[in-house]
């Protein structure tokens, strides 16, 4: 745990009540009560966990080899502060915008399958394809002119 305070709560009415002779040291989600939270005393009942902490960060999009050519529409832009499940919106060559998410592996990923291509992917400024093509044409012209 990061020991940081959460602003979100979903307690059932009159909870947490710290009931029982030893107090309530556990919280459970009551699926029969629309997912409301309830505090409980120590029991022999075993519950599956629902929380997991990821200690990963994603690089700035401008520094990410896979996504640096996508124009960024919106995301928080402070190195080291982009954490798991943070999102970014980028623009595709087609003009559509798509959402990326910082994955638990510390890599940006599309949130759904897409045909999105970077705007500079085919012959655009800064494109590796466009630069190679220009170099080939220039080399050809130099040979022909000799």
């Amino acid at each position: 745990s990061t020991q940081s305070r959460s602003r979100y709560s979903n307690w059932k009415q009159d909870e947490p009540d710290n009931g029982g002779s030893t107090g309530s040291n556990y919280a459970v989600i009551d699926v029969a009560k629309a997912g409301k939270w309830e505090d409980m005393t120590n029991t022999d009942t075993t519950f599956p966990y629902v929380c997991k902490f990821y200690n990963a960060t994603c690089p700035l999009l401008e520094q990410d080899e896979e996504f640096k050519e996508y124009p960024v529409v919106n995301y928080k832009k402070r190195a080291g502060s982009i954490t798991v499940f943070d999102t970014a919106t980028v623009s595709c060559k087609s003009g559509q915008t798509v959402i990326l998410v910082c994955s638990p592996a510390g890599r940006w990923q599309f949130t759904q399958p897409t045909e999105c291509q970077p705007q500079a992917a085919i012959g655009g400024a800064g494109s590796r394809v466009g630069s190679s093509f220009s170099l080939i044409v220039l080399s050809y012209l130099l040979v022909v002119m000799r």
Side-chain angles (χ1 to χ4, degrees), residues 60-86:
L60 293 173
L61 285 169
E62 305 83 59
Q63 297 170 351
D64 188 287
E65 285 300 315
E66 188 174 351
F67 293 104
K68 68 182 179 183
E69 293 186 17
Y70 287 84
V72 177
V73 176
N74 183 24
Y75 87 116
K76 72 178 181 181
K77 194 175 177 177
R78 290 193 346 256
S81 68
I82 303 167
T83 57
V84 175
F85 304 124
D86 281 344

Side-chain angles (χ1 to χ4, degrees), residues 9-20 23-28 30 33 36-41:
S9 81
N10 194 30
W11 293 106
K12 286 176 22 180
Q13 185 173 352
D14 301 324
E15 294 286 352
D17 62 2
N18 205 28
S24 298
N25 298 320
Y26 301 90
V28 295
D30 190 342
K33 300 287 184 186
K36 295 290 185 179
W37 304 346
E38 177 178 356
D39 63 335
M40 295 184 64
T41 58

Side-chain angles (χ1 to χ4, degrees), residues 93-106:
K93 183 178 180 189
S94 65
Q96 80 181 95
T97 57
V98 294
I99 298 173
L100 304 174
V101 65
C102 179
S103 74

Side-chain angles (χ1 to χ4, degrees), residues 27-66:
V28 295
I29 298 173
D30 190 342
V31 292
K33 300 287 184 186
K36 295 290 185 179
W37 304 346
E38 177 178 356
D39 63 335
M40 295 184 64
T41 58
N42 187 8
T43 66
D44 291 331
T45 306
T46 302
F47 297 99
Y49 69 87
V50 294
C51 299
K52 188 168 183 176
F53 178 72
Y54 296 100
N55 190 22
T57 60
C58 281
L60 293 173
L61 285 169
E62 305 83 59
Q63 297 170 351
D64 188 287
E65 285 300 315
E66 188 174 351

